[in-house]
């Protein structure tokens, strides 16, 4: 972990953050935010893609689930639009009281019209805040549509490779629900 005065992207337990503060992964897979300060989790890899979900799914509402323990802290909803270079602040803050047992929170997310991704910042008001089980939730108005997928591969005089690849796909891909709604095309001399 780089611990200097500039913001450096770091990753723990599949959560990426920007901060000059330290996070340590615990044996129980929770993350310990060691120092008092600000931890920005608004990165492309953590964020909720509200724009795409709103456009291509039947999503009607979103929320951030997080479990937190320790000194008082705040979670601010953040976002990025099409032209954002830095985290955009919403001013929407959820205050968390000090507690030495795990608190489970589901924080509603109401995206703005121009929001592309949603994120969050944790501001700790003391040392040794712990977080775990952090994920985005999406509620839909009906069951999701079945995925339909078409795979196309061109080939030229590589029959032995194509046969092996098709056998692999049949055994490992086309056996599940997505595979049942898929088509695979091989274009010879492609």
């Amino acid at each position: 972990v780089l611990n200097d005065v500039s913001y450096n992207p770091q990753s723990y337990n599949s959560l990426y953050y920007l901060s000059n503060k330290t996070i340590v992964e615990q044996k129980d897979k929770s993350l310990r935010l060691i120092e008092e300060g600000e931890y920005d989790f608004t990165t492309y890899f953590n964020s909720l893609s509200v724009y795409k979900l709103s456009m291509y799914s039947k999503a009607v509402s979103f929320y951030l689930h997080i479990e937190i323990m320790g000194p008082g802290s705040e979670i601010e909803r953040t976002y990025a639009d099409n032209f954002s270079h830095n985290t955009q602040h919403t001013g929407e803050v959820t205050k968390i009281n000090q507690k030495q047992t795990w608190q489970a929170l589901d924080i509603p997310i109401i995206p703005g019209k121009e929001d592309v991704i949603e994120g969050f910042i944790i501001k700790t008001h003391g040392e040794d805040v712990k977080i775990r089980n952090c994920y985005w939730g999406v509620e839909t108005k009906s069951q999701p549509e079945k995925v339909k997928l078409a795979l196309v591969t061109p080939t030229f005089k590589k029959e032995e490779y194509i046969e092996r690849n098709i056998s692999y796909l049949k055994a490992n891909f086309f056996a599940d629900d997505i595979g049942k709604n898929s088509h695979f095309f091989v274009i010879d001399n492609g």
Side-chain angles (χ1 to χ4, degrees), residues 8-67:
N8 292 299
Q10 303 294 324
S11 167
Y12 292 93
N13 201 21
S14 300
L15 264 177
Y16 292 82
Y17 74 99
L18 294 170
S19 184
N20 62 350
K21 307 297 180 190
T22 304
I23 292 182
V24 176
E25 184 175 353
Q26 303 295 287
K27 288 180 183 178
D28 66 358
K29 300 295 184 195
S30 66
L31 302 179
R32 184 176 165 208
L33 288 59
I34 304 270
E35 305 168 69
E36 181 174 349
E38 189 172 291
Y39 301 82
D40 185 353
F41 293 91
T42 311
T43 69
Y44 181 78
F45 301 103
N46 294 340
S47 298
L48 174 68
S49 182
V50 292
Y51 178 77
K52 287 182 181 175
L53 280 167
S54 297
M55 185 179 233
Y56 299 115
S57 76
K58 297 177 181 179
V60 294
S61 64
F62 310 98
Y63 63 91
L64 169 66
H65 177 87
I66 188 167
E67 295 175 20

Side-chain angles (χ1 to χ4, degrees), residues 20-186:
N20 62 350
K21 307 297 180 190
T22 304
I23 292 182
V24 176
E25 184 175 353
Q26 303 295 287
K27 288 180 183 178
D28 66 358
K29 300 295 184 195
S30 66
L31 302 179
R32 184 176 165 208
L33 288 59
I34 304 270
E35 305 168 69
E36 181 174 349
E38 189 172 291
Y39 301 82
D40 185 353
F41 293 91
T42 311
T43 69
Y44 181 78
F45 301 103
N46 294 340
S47 298
L48 174 68
S49 182
V50 292
Y51 178 77
K52 287 182 181 175
L53 280 167
S54 297
M55 185 179 233
Y56 299 115
S57 76
K58 297 177 181 179
V60 294
S61 64
F62 310 98
Y63 63 91
L64 169 66
H65 177 87
I66 188 167
E67 295 175 20
I68 192 164
M69 173 172 56
S73 53
E74 298 175 0
I75 299 175
E76 179 184 2
R77 182 179 76 84
T78 57
Y79 73 96
D81 61 24
N82 285 326
F83 302 104
S84 296
H85 181 272
N86 296 315
T87 299
Q88 304 296 310
H89 296 266
T90 63
E92 297 173 21
V93 175
T94 301
K95 295 184 185 285
I96 297 126
N97 294 325
Q98 178 176 339
K99 201 166 185 183
Q100 294 309 313
T101 58
W102 289 105
Q103 301 177 66
L105 304 169
D106 287 325
I107 302 170
I109 303 296
I110 302 171
K113 285 191 329 185
E114 303 298 319
D115 294 8
V116 174
I117 60 173
E118 300 291 326
F120 63 98
I121 291 175
I122 297 177
K123 296 177 185 172
T124 60
H125 300 301
E127 297 176 355
D128 205 21
V129 171
K130 293 180 183 173
I131 62 173
R132 69 178 185 191
N133 296 332
C134 184
Y135 60 85
W136 296 103
V138 178
E139 296 176 5
T140 59
K141 56 183 165 186
S142 63
Q143 289 294 327
E145 298 287 331
K146 288 191 175 195
V147 173
K148 295 179 182 173
L149 181 65
L151 301 170
V152 180
T153 185
T155 185
F156 183 70
K157 296 184 180 181
K158 300 291 181 191
E159 291 82 11
E160 68 274 6
Y161 298 113
I162 291 299
E163 289 174 4
R164 188 176 64 209
N165 289 343
I166 290 172
S167 296
Y168 177 82
L169 287 170
K170 280 182 178 178
N172 295 293
F173 179 73
F174 288 106
D176 66 11
D177 287 339
I178 292 175
K180 292 174 186 170
N181 291 309
S182 302
H183 298 281
F184 184 63
F185 300 95
V186 178

